[in-house]
Amino acid sequence: MPSDDNAPKWDVALASLAGDEYRKKSAPLTLDDFHRLAREHAIRLDDIMETMFLLAINGEWKYRDASGAEQPLTQETLDSLYVKRRLSEKDLRSFDGGWMPR
């Protein structure tokens, strides 16, 4: 069976949820926003954040740190945050800036 190289590399439902939230808020999304979305929709925070990282890595979204400087995110950045195949809550705290679509 051939692979579909055009298929998104992220969870499209979570990407849509983030996009909807960004449009409602009209401002970059923060880790607090993602925590709230996880609680409201009974989704694991690390699943949302993995999607956000993949969106940024693939140029769909961008991340700006707390000072407002855009920070390039790579697959290596994401891989370094995994603990037992999950994203570490402690390490995610350092991403206290804003996420927005490009």
Side-chain angles (χ1 to χ4, degrees):
M1 184 164 147
S3 68
D4 186 357
D5 290 335
N6 294 325
K9 297 167 180 51
W10 51 83
D11 185 309
V12 293
L14 294 179
S16 178
L17 178 66
D20 289 347
E21 188 64 21
Y22 177 82
R23 284 185 289 283
K24 280 188 236 174
K25 184 177 177 185
S26 297
L29 301 180
T30 65
L31 198 52
D32 287 341
D33 294 319
F34 296 123
H35 274 284
R36 182 179 44 74
L37 288 171
R39 281 190 310 273
E40 286 176 4
H41 298 280
I43 302 166
R44 287 197 312 236
L45 176 67
D46 68 309
D47 288 339
I48 295 173
M49 295 312 299
E50 178 181 37
T51 293
M52 298 312 301
F53 274 93
L54 290 171
L55 287 166
I57 290 165
N58 288 282
E60 299 292 319
W61 281 62
K62 59 186 170 183
Y63 171 73
R64 292 186 185 269
D65 64 21
S67 70
E70 186 170 343
Q71 297 298 314
L73 299 177
T74 65
Q75 186 64 48
E76 291 77 25
T77 306
L78 177 59
D79 291 346
S80 72
L81 298 173
Y82 282 111
V83 174
K84 296 182 182 178
R85 298 192 303 176
R86 290 280 165 218
L87 296 178
S88 162
E89 173 79 28
K90 182 181 100 187
D91 292 335
L92 287 173
R93 284 187 219 133
S94 66
F95 291 90
D96 58 351
W99 300 78
M100 66 213 79
R102 287 208 175 268

